[in-house]
Amino acid sequence: HRQQLSAFGDSVHDSHAEIIARRALVVYLMGQLLEDPPQSIFAKQHTFALHDHIRLHLYSSQCPCGDAAIESLQGTLGQHEQPPIKRRRTTIDTSVVRGHQGFDTLGALRLKPGRADSIPTLSLSCSDKIARWNALGVQGSLLASLIAPVYIASMVIGDLYNHASIDRALNRRTAAALADKELPGGYRANVCEIHPTAVQFERSQTALTAANAEITTADASIYWHQGAPSSAALVNGVKQGSKLARGQCQKEKLRPAICKLSLLNQFIALSQRLRPELLIGSEHCSYRCIKRRSQAYQQAKALLLDSEQFAGWTCCPSEYEAFDCSGSAVS
């Protein structure tokens, strides 16, 4: 929640698995841009783009939280989280819904976490973020200055699988939002293939329930990407064993490699080698300012968030992106 956010970009604000995986992927993509052509996943044309034979695949042991899972959850949640009155379902609601509330509203943006007795956050659900990736790509706005959008080609999902719900939340919402809109070159309403799996994750909710095991929400996460020297563990968005100091930026060795500040520094180092002109006049620019230099990405984002389906998007407050590459506040 907002009181736990860092203004220095030195922690991760959303630790859901899909979000952690995407951030680790961004670090991997940056590394691939420095690889020699035969080893790199990128081909250099007028810009860097994935080789034609490369496809991005996402596996999730459980349906992404939010709109994709809302229908599957109706029969599994405790009675205290069920809606008191079943109303006629609507398919679009531009307001942002809190977690598991409003089961009768399909297609709504939803804030994490799902439980009604938990502290609300500013983070939108994984369904909403993946739907956004289907418009803007998974590379993010920093890397969009260097590479063509990278889209998820297919997904395999385990628990709480409902094909129609997942397709609506991840694909059809985005397609409807961008219908008849002229996107900048390279951007599109991506449609990722959605598939179930019969292979059960041994720690899945279904497996634990069948074993009468206690199910608890973990505050820890582990990430790794190809080429990383080792995996890294986070607890509440910071490196395991470290602690955020109020009013101070964490030292570099204590920061997660996937936090905003670390990604900013990796992007600056990458740009200095590949396209130094991107950094002209950026010596004292904030993270948000540098992100906004990717004009095509920002144009596509504006078109998406101007739609009925995504108009209620909760953006990160500007004061949490007003840091420079040293972690210092920029006025």
PDB file of all heavy atoms in Angstrom, residues 4 10-15 20 217-221 233-240 242 244 250 256:
ATOM      1  N   GLN A   4       3.947   2.075   2.178  1.00  0.00           N
ATOM      2  CA  GLN A   4       5.126   1.225   2.055  1.00  0.00           C
ATOM      3  C   GLN A   4       5.916   1.493   0.779  1.00  0.00           C
ATOM      4  O   GLN A   4       6.971   0.904   0.584  1.00  0.00           O
ATOM      5  CB  GLN A   4       4.708  -0.249   2.099  1.00  0.00           C
ATOM      6  CG  GLN A   4       4.160  -0.699   3.443  1.00  0.00           C
ATOM      7  CD  GLN A   4       3.758  -2.163   3.444  1.00  0.00           C
ATOM      8  OE1 GLN A   4       3.226  -2.668   2.457  1.00  0.00           O
ATOM      9  NE2 GLN A   4       4.021  -2.860   4.525  1.00  0.00           N
ATOM     10  N   ASP A  10      13.930   1.960  -5.370  1.00  0.00           N
ATOM     11  CA  ASP A  10      14.860   0.916  -4.935  1.00  0.00           C
ATOM     12  C   ASP A  10      14.182  -0.329  -4.383  1.00  0.00           C
ATOM     13  O   ASP A  10      14.834  -1.182  -3.789  1.00  0.00           O
ATOM     14  CB  ASP A  10      15.833   1.473  -3.886  1.00  0.00           C
ATOM     15  CG  ASP A  10      15.121   2.117  -2.706  1.00  0.00           C
ATOM     16  OD1 ASP A  10      13.890   2.293  -2.750  1.00  0.00           O
ATOM     17  OD2 ASP A  10      15.814   2.467  -1.726  1.00  0.00           O
ATOM     18  N   SER A  11      12.871  -0.453  -4.586  1.00  0.00           N
ATOM     19  CA  SER A  11      12.149  -1.658  -4.177  1.00  0.00           C
ATOM     20  C   SER A  11      11.120  -1.986  -5.253  1.00  0.00           C
ATOM     21  O   SER A  11      10.868  -1.189  -6.158  1.00  0.00           O
ATOM     22  CB  SER A  11      11.454  -1.445  -2.826  1.00  0.00           C
ATOM     23  OG  SER A  11      10.481  -0.416  -2.921  1.00  0.00           O
ATOM     24  N   VAL A  12      10.537  -3.164  -5.163  1.00  0.00           N
ATOM     25  CA  VAL A  12       9.530  -3.613  -6.134  1.00  0.00           C
ATOM     26  C   VAL A  12       8.163  -3.487  -5.480  1.00  0.00           C
ATOM     27  O   VAL A  12       7.930  -4.035  -4.402  1.00  0.00           O
ATOM     28  CB  VAL A  12       9.795  -5.073  -6.565  1.00  0.00           C
ATOM     29  CG1 VAL A  12       8.709  -5.547  -7.525  1.00  0.00           C
ATOM     30  CG2 VAL A  12      11.170  -5.191  -7.210  1.00  0.00           C
ATOM     31  N   HIS A  13       7.258  -2.759  -6.122  1.00  0.00           N
ATOM     32  CA  HIS A  13       5.967  -2.456  -5.518  1.00  0.00           C
ATOM     33  C   HIS A  13       4.924  -3.542  -5.729  1.00  0.00           C
ATOM     34  O   HIS A  13       3.922  -3.568  -5.022  1.00  0.00           O
ATOM     35  CB  HIS A  13       5.433  -1.128  -6.054  1.00  0.00           C
ATOM     36  CG  HIS A  13       6.278   0.054  -5.688  1.00  0.00           C
ATOM     37  ND1 HIS A  13       6.159   1.294  -6.295  1.00  0.00           N
ATOM     38  CD2 HIS A  13       7.267   0.190  -4.766  1.00  0.00           C
ATOM     39  CE1 HIS A  13       7.036   2.137  -5.766  1.00  0.00           C
ATOM     40  NE2 HIS A  13       7.725   1.488  -4.851  1.00  0.00           N
ATOM     41  N   ASP A  14       5.123  -4.408  -6.690  1.00  0.00           N
ATOM     42  CA  ASP A  14       4.160  -5.476  -6.995  1.00  0.00           C
ATOM     43  C   ASP A  14       4.942  -6.779  -7.110  1.00  0.00           C
ATOM     44  O   ASP A  14       5.738  -6.947  -8.030  1.00  0.00           O
ATOM     45  CB  ASP A  14       3.436  -5.154  -8.300  1.00  0.00           C
ATOM     46  CG  ASP A  14       2.330  -6.155  -8.634  1.00  0.00           C
ATOM     47  OD1 ASP A  14       2.324  -7.249  -8.044  1.00  0.00           O
ATOM     48  OD2 ASP A  14       1.477  -5.845  -9.500  1.00  0.00           O
ATOM     49  N   SER A  15       4.690  -7.694  -6.177  1.00  0.00           N
ATOM     50  CA  SER A  15       5.470  -8.936  -6.136  1.00  0.00           C
ATOM     51  C   SER A  15       4.705 -10.145  -6.638  1.00  0.00           C
ATOM     52  O   SER A  15       5.104 -11.281  -6.364  1.00  0.00           O
ATOM     53  CB  SER A  15       5.965  -9.195  -4.702  1.00  0.00           C
ATOM     54  OG  SER A  15       6.914  -8.219  -4.320  1.00  0.00           O
ATOM     55  N   ILE A  20       6.889 -10.112 -11.397  1.00  0.00           N
ATOM     56  CA  ILE A  20       8.306 -10.395 -11.125  1.00  0.00           C
ATOM     57  C   ILE A  20       8.954 -11.029 -12.353  1.00  0.00           C
ATOM     58  O   ILE A  20      10.076 -10.672 -12.746  1.00  0.00           O
ATOM     59  CB  ILE A  20       8.437 -11.322  -9.906  1.00  0.00           C
ATOM     60  CG1 ILE A  20       7.941 -10.616  -8.627  1.00  0.00           C
ATOM     61  CG2 ILE A  20       9.871 -11.796  -9.730  1.00  0.00           C
ATOM     62  CD1 ILE A  20       8.807  -9.478  -8.162  1.00  0.00           C
ATOM     63  N   THR A 217      -0.700 -16.916   2.058  1.00  0.00           N
ATOM     64  CA  THR A 217      -0.112 -16.019   1.064  1.00  0.00           C
ATOM     65  C   THR A 217       1.323 -15.714   1.456  1.00  0.00           C
ATOM     66  O   THR A 217       1.594 -15.266   2.568  1.00  0.00           O
ATOM     67  CB  THR A 217      -0.912 -14.712   0.974  1.00  0.00           C
ATOM     68  OG1 THR A 217      -2.260 -15.028   0.619  1.00  0.00           O
ATOM     69  CG2 THR A 217      -0.319 -13.787  -0.079  1.00  0.00           C
ATOM     70  N   ALA A 218       2.247 -15.950   0.552  1.00  0.00           N
ATOM     71  CA  ALA A 218       3.663 -15.725   0.844  1.00  0.00           C
ATOM     72  C   ALA A 218       4.027 -14.269   0.600  1.00  0.00           C
ATOM     73  O   ALA A 218       3.513 -13.629  -0.320  1.00  0.00           O
ATOM     74  CB  ALA A 218       4.526 -16.626  -0.031  1.00  0.00           C
ATOM     75  N   ASP A 219       4.931 -13.735   1.427  1.00  0.00           N
ATOM     76  CA  ASP A 219       5.419 -12.374   1.210  1.00  0.00           C
ATOM     77  C   ASP A 219       6.784 -12.392   0.527  1.00  0.00           C
ATOM     78  O   ASP A 219       7.422 -11.355   0.366  1.00  0.00           O
ATOM     79  CB  ASP A 219       5.495 -11.598   2.526  1.00  0.00           C
ATOM     80  CG  ASP A 219       6.398 -12.271   3.564  1.00  0.00           C
ATOM     81  OD1 ASP A 219       7.031 -13.295   3.232  1.00  0.00           O
ATOM     82  OD2 ASP A 219       6.469 -11.764   4.693  1.00  0.00           O
ATOM     83  N   ALA A 220       7.228 -13.597   0.125  1.00  0.00           N
ATOM     84  CA  ALA A 220       8.538 -13.737  -0.515  1.00  0.00           C
ATOM     85  C   ALA A 220       8.382 -14.176  -1.964  1.00  0.00           C
ATOM     86  O   ALA A 220       7.384 -14.802  -2.334  1.00  0.00           O
ATOM     87  CB  ALA A 220       9.392 -14.754   0.251  1.00  0.00           C
ATOM     88  N   SER A 221       9.360 -13.842  -2.777  1.00  0.00           N
ATOM     89  CA  SER A 221       9.381 -14.270  -4.173  1.00  0.00           C
ATOM     90  C   SER A 221      10.822 -14.485  -4.596  1.00  0.00           C
ATOM     91  O   SER A 221      11.744 -13.906  -4.014  1.00  0.00           O
ATOM     92  CB  SER A 221       8.702 -13.233  -5.075  1.00  0.00           C
ATOM     93  OG  SER A 221       9.254 -11.951  -4.871  1.00  0.00           O
ATOM     94  N   ALA A 233      16.180 -13.593  -3.955  1.00  0.00           N
ATOM     95  CA  ALA A 233      14.945 -13.659  -3.174  1.00  0.00           C
ATOM     96  C   ALA A 233      14.545 -12.262  -2.703  1.00  0.00           C
ATOM     97  O   ALA A 233      15.388 -11.478  -2.260  1.00  0.00           O
ATOM     98  CB  ALA A 233      15.126 -14.577  -1.974  1.00  0.00           C
ATOM     99  N   LEU A 234      13.266 -11.976  -2.815  1.00  0.00           N
ATOM    100  CA  LEU A 234      12.714 -10.719  -2.334  1.00  0.00           C
ATOM    101  C   LEU A 234      11.704 -11.005  -1.238  1.00  0.00           C
ATOM    102  O   LEU A 234      10.976 -11.991  -1.292  1.00  0.00           O
ATOM    103  CB  LEU A 234      12.007  -9.957  -3.460  1.00  0.00           C
ATOM    104  CG  LEU A 234      12.803  -9.594  -4.714  1.00  0.00           C
ATOM    105  CD1 LEU A 234      11.905  -8.831  -5.681  1.00  0.00           C
ATOM    106  CD2 LEU A 234      14.023  -8.787  -4.360  1.00  0.00           C
ATOM    107  N   VAL A 235      11.650 -10.138  -0.258  1.00  0.00           N
ATOM    108  CA  VAL A 235      10.625 -10.186   0.781  1.00  0.00           C
ATOM    109  C   VAL A 235       9.998  -8.806   0.858  1.00  0.00           C
ATOM    110  O   VAL A 235      10.687  -7.812   1.128  1.00  0.00           O
ATOM    111  CB  VAL A 235      11.206 -10.579   2.154  1.00  0.00           C
ATOM    112  CG1 VAL A 235      10.108 -10.575   3.210  1.00  0.00           C
ATOM    113  CG2 VAL A 235      11.874 -11.940   2.079  1.00  0.00           C
ATOM    114  N   ASN A 236       8.708  -8.758   0.569  1.00  0.00           N
ATOM    115  CA  ASN A 236       7.997  -7.478   0.525  1.00  0.00           C
ATOM    116  C   ASN A 236       8.690  -6.471  -0.389  1.00  0.00           C
ATOM    117  O   ASN A 236       8.778  -5.273  -0.088  1.00  0.00           O
ATOM    118  CB  ASN A 236       7.831  -6.901   1.937  1.00  0.00           C
ATOM    119  CG  ASN A 236       6.879  -7.709   2.790  1.00  0.00           C
ATOM    120  OD1 ASN A 236       5.871  -8.229   2.294  1.00  0.00           O
ATOM    121  ND2 ASN A 236       7.193  -7.849   4.066  1.00  0.00           N
ATOM    122  N   GLY A 237       9.210  -6.959  -1.515  1.00  0.00           N
ATOM    123  CA  GLY A 237       9.751  -6.079  -2.528  1.00  0.00           C
ATOM    124  C   GLY A 237      11.192  -5.647  -2.354  1.00  0.00           C
ATOM    125  O   GLY A 237      11.714  -4.904  -3.185  1.00  0.00           O
ATOM    126  N   VAL A 238      11.858  -6.105  -1.299  1.00  0.00           N
ATOM    127  CA  VAL A 238      13.267  -5.772  -1.104  1.00  0.00           C
ATOM    128  C   VAL A 238      14.072  -7.061  -0.990  1.00  0.00           C
ATOM    129  O   VAL A 238      13.525  -8.125  -0.711  1.00  0.00           O
ATOM    130  CB  VAL A 238      13.494  -4.896   0.152  1.00  0.00           C
ATOM    131  CG1 VAL A 238      12.728  -3.589   0.028  1.00  0.00           C
ATOM    132  CG2 VAL A 238      13.075  -5.631   1.420  1.00  0.00           C
ATOM    133  N   LYS A 239      15.381  -6.962  -1.222  1.00  0.00           N
ATOM    134  CA  LYS A 239      16.230  -8.138  -1.143  1.00  0.00           C
ATOM    135  C   LYS A 239      16.129  -8.784   0.230  1.00  0.00           C
ATOM    136  O   LYS A 239      16.137  -8.099   1.248  1.00  0.00           O
ATOM    137  CB  LYS A 239      17.692  -7.772  -1.425  1.00  0.00           C
ATOM    138  CG  LYS A 239      18.112  -7.926  -2.864  1.00  0.00           C
ATOM    139  CD  LYS A 239      19.617  -7.777  -2.995  1.00  0.00           C
ATOM    140  CE  LYS A 239      20.069  -7.997  -4.422  1.00  0.00           C
ATOM    141  NZ  LYS A 239      21.539  -7.876  -4.543  1.00  0.00           N
ATOM    142  N   GLN A 240      16.045 -10.101   0.237  1.00  0.00           N
ATOM    143  CA  GLN A 240      15.971 -10.817   1.508  1.00  0.00           C
ATOM    144  C   GLN A 240      17.172 -10.450   2.373  1.00  0.00           C
ATOM    145  O   GLN A 240      18.316 -10.498   1.938  1.00  0.00           O
ATOM    146  CB  GLN A 240      15.948 -12.319   1.261  1.00  0.00           C
ATOM    147  CG  GLN A 240      15.674 -13.148   2.502  1.00  0.00           C
ATOM    148  CD  GLN A 240      15.508 -14.610   2.166  1.00  0.00           C
ATOM    149  OE1 GLN A 240      16.181 -15.137   1.283  1.00  0.00           O
ATOM    150  NE2 GLN A 240      14.611 -15.304   2.851  1.00  0.00           N
ATOM    151  N   SER A 242      17.715  -7.435   3.626  1.00  0.00           N
ATOM    152  CA  SER A 242      17.890  -5.982   3.668  1.00  0.00           C
ATOM    153  C   SER A 242      16.596  -5.329   4.137  1.00  0.00           C
ATOM    154  O   SER A 242      15.543  -5.960   4.210  1.00  0.00           O
ATOM    155  CB  SER A 242      18.294  -5.439   2.298  1.00  0.00           C
ATOM    156  OG  SER A 242      17.267  -5.660   1.357  1.00  0.00           O
ATOM    157  N   LEU A 244      14.382  -1.431   4.027  1.00  0.00           N
ATOM    158  CA  LEU A 244      14.304  -0.055   3.564  1.00  0.00           C
ATOM    159  C   LEU A 244      14.467   0.900   4.733  1.00  0.00           C
ATOM    160  O   LEU A 244      13.840   0.731   5.782  1.00  0.00           O
ATOM    161  CB  LEU A 244      12.951   0.205   2.878  1.00  0.00           C
ATOM    162  CG  LEU A 244      12.726  -0.420   1.500  1.00  0.00           C
ATOM    163  CD1 LEU A 244      11.308  -0.122   1.027  1.00  0.00           C
ATOM    164  CD2 LEU A 244      13.726   0.107   0.492  1.00  0.00           C
ATOM    165  N   GLN A 250      18.470   2.816  -0.893  1.00  0.00           N
ATOM    166  CA  GLN A 250      19.339   1.676  -0.591  1.00  0.00           C
ATOM    167  C   GLN A 250      20.610   1.726  -1.431  1.00  0.00           C
ATOM    168  O   GLN A 250      20.601   2.185  -2.571  1.00  0.00           O
ATOM    169  CB  GLN A 250      18.607   0.364  -0.900  1.00  0.00           C
ATOM    170  CG  GLN A 250      17.503   0.025   0.063  1.00  0.00           C
ATOM    171  CD  GLN A 250      17.097  -1.431  -0.070  1.00  0.00           C
ATOM    172  OE1 GLN A 250      17.553  -2.274   0.663  1.00  0.00           O
ATOM    173  NE2 GLN A 250      16.244  -1.711  -1.050  1.00  0.00           N
ATOM    174  N   PRO A 256      17.248  -4.714  -5.447  1.00  0.00           N
ATOM    175  CA  PRO A 256      16.908  -5.774  -6.410  1.00  0.00           C
ATOM    176  C   PRO A 256      17.315  -5.336  -7.813  1.00  0.00           C
ATOM    177  O   PRO A 256      17.159  -4.170  -8.184  1.00  0.00           O
ATOM    178  CB  PRO A 256      15.384  -5.885  -6.298  1.00  0.00           C
ATOM    179  CG  PRO A 256      15.021  -5.231  -5.001  1.00  0.00           C
ATOM    180  CD  PRO A 256      16.055  -4.180  -4.766  1.00  0.00           C
TER     181      PRO A 256
END
